[in-house]
Amino acid sequence: DQQVKQNSPSLSVQEGRISILNCDYTNSMFDYFLWYKKYPAEGPTFLISISSIKDKNEDGRFTVFLNKSAKHLSLHIVPSQPGDSAVYFCAASVGSSNTGKLIFGQGTTLQVKP
Amino acid sequence: DTGVSQDPRHKITKRGQNVTFRCDPISEHNRLYWYRQTLGQGPEFLTYFQNEAQLEKSRLLSDRFSAERPKGSFSTLEIQRTEQGDSAMYLCASSRQDRPYNSPLHFGNGTRLTVT
C-alpha cells in the first residue's frame, strides 16, 4: 500500500529551464509535506516543506505547490542547475507534532544537462 | 553543527551473524530516528526515540531488531541472526522538537548492510 507515490522514476531537463517533480498521496490525514534531495553516497537533505493549511511555499529557486483536493503536490525548480541533479523524494506525515515519522515516495531522479 | 554521524559506512556479514550500527545525532536534537532504504525505494520508518525513550516501532521492525538510546545521546541498532532480506541502507536521522512543528529531519549518510 503505497501512500505516497512518485510516478516518474526519472526526469531530464536543460540547464536554466524549469524542473517539475510530482507526487501523489492517498491518505487524506496527511497534513505536512516535505521534499528531500539525495546525492549518491549521502543521506537525504531537507529541501522545502508545506503545511496543509497552505497551497504554496517558496524558498529561492524552489517552490512547492499543494493541491489538497487532488491529493497532489509538486516541486518546481527554476532555473534548474546541473548541481540540482539528484534523487528527489517527497514525504508526508500525519500530525504536526510527529513530523519525524515520514512516509516517503519512491523518488524521482532529476538530471539537469548543461 | 557536525551533522548526524553513522558508523560503519559499510558492513558485509554472513547470514546468521549479528550486526550493530551506531548513530550520533546532532547534539542539541532530542529526537532520533532509524529508517531503512532498499534499492529503488524511499526510506521507510523503523523506530524513533525522544531522549532515551523509544516511542514508536514500525511493524517492519521484527523481533530480531533492537534499538537503544541509553543516555539520550547516541543510538545503536542491532540486528540478530541476519537474513539476506536485511540487506539495505540503514539511515539515522535526528530533529529538535520545541515548537508545534518539529525541525526537519537531518539524516546521516547511512550504513549499507550486505548480508551474504
Side-chain angles (χ1 to χ4, degrees):
Chain A
D1 178 24
Q2 192 76 27
Q3 297 186 69
V4 178
K5 296 181 182 180
Q6 294 175 255
N7 292 317
S8 298
S10 63
L11 175 67
S12 181
V13 300
Q14 206 66 35
E15 180 179 5
R17 306 295 292 271
I18 184 172
S19 295
I20 301 176
L21 296 99
N22 294 304
C23 179
D24 297 296
Y25 62 95
T26 58
N27 189 341
S28 58
M29 298 298 291
F30 287 147
D31 60 0
Y32 194 62
F33 303 88
L34 308 90
W35 285 93
Y36 278 81
K37 177 171 72 174
K38 185 181 183 304
Y39 292 119
E42 294 184 10
T45 303
F46 170 74
L47 200 54
I48 193 169
S49 63
I50 188 168
S51 162
S52 60
I53 62 174
K54 296 183 177 181
D55 55 17
K56 177 183 175 181
N57 189 26
E58 191 172 353
D59 183 2
R61 297 186 297 114
F62 303 91
T63 303
V64 56
F65 295 92
L66 176 61
N67 182 334
K68 290 186 290 295
S69 61
K71 294 190 177 68
H72 177 84
L73 67 156
S74 61
L75 174 69
H76 292 208
I77 306 173
V78 182
S80 301
Q81 300 173 353
D84 296 329
S85 298
V87 179
Y88 289 78
F89 293 98
C90 69
S93 70
V94 176
S96 60
S97 64
N98 196 24
T99 55
K101 182 185 174 184
L102 302 177
I103 309 298
F104 282 86
Q106 310 97 306
T108 296
T109 300
L110 172 65
Q111 181 184 29
V112 180
K113 298 179 178 179
Chain B
D1 178 1
T2 57
V4 177
S5 177
Q6 292 189 245
D7 185 70
R9 289 296 308 273
H10 303 275
K11 178 70 177 178
I12 300 174
T13 191
K14 292 184 178 180
R15 188 177 55 189
Q17 298 295 305
N18 298 345
V19 294
T20 301
F21 310 140
R22 176 179 171 125
C23 172
D24 288 273
I26 293 171
S27 58
E28 63 267 26
H29 285 182
N30 57 351
R31 284 197 172 183
L32 186 147
Y33 301 79
W34 286 98
Y35 281 76
R36 180 173 69 187
Q37 184 178 15
T38 54
L39 197 61
Q41 300 297 317
E44 294 175 295
F45 170 81
L46 293 179
T47 187
Y48 87 97
F49 295 81
Q50 176 143 326
N51 300 314
E52 65 274 9
Q54 188 173 18
L55 297 187
E56 188 168 348
K57 293 169 60 174
S58 163
R59 291 172 298 172
L60 295 174
L61 218 61
S62 76
D63 292 345
R64 298 183 296 103
F65 288 71
S66 63
E68 294 183 344
R69 194 182 183 198
K71 297 184 179 179
S73 57
F74 73 92
S75 175
T76 58
L77 177 67
E78 181 183 16
I79 309 174
Q80 297 182 328
R81 304 180 303 281
T82 51
E83 302 173 357
Q84 287 186 323
D86 297 331
S87 295
M89 175 73 81
Y90 289 85
L91 293 163
C92 177
S94 68
S95 72
R96 177 176 176 175
Q97 185 199 28
D98 59 6
R99 299 180 300 177
Y101 285 104
N102 268 341
S103 68
L105 298 192
H106 293 252
F107 282 88
N109 289 333
T111 293
R112 179 166 295 284
L113 173 66
T114 302
V115 181
T116 62

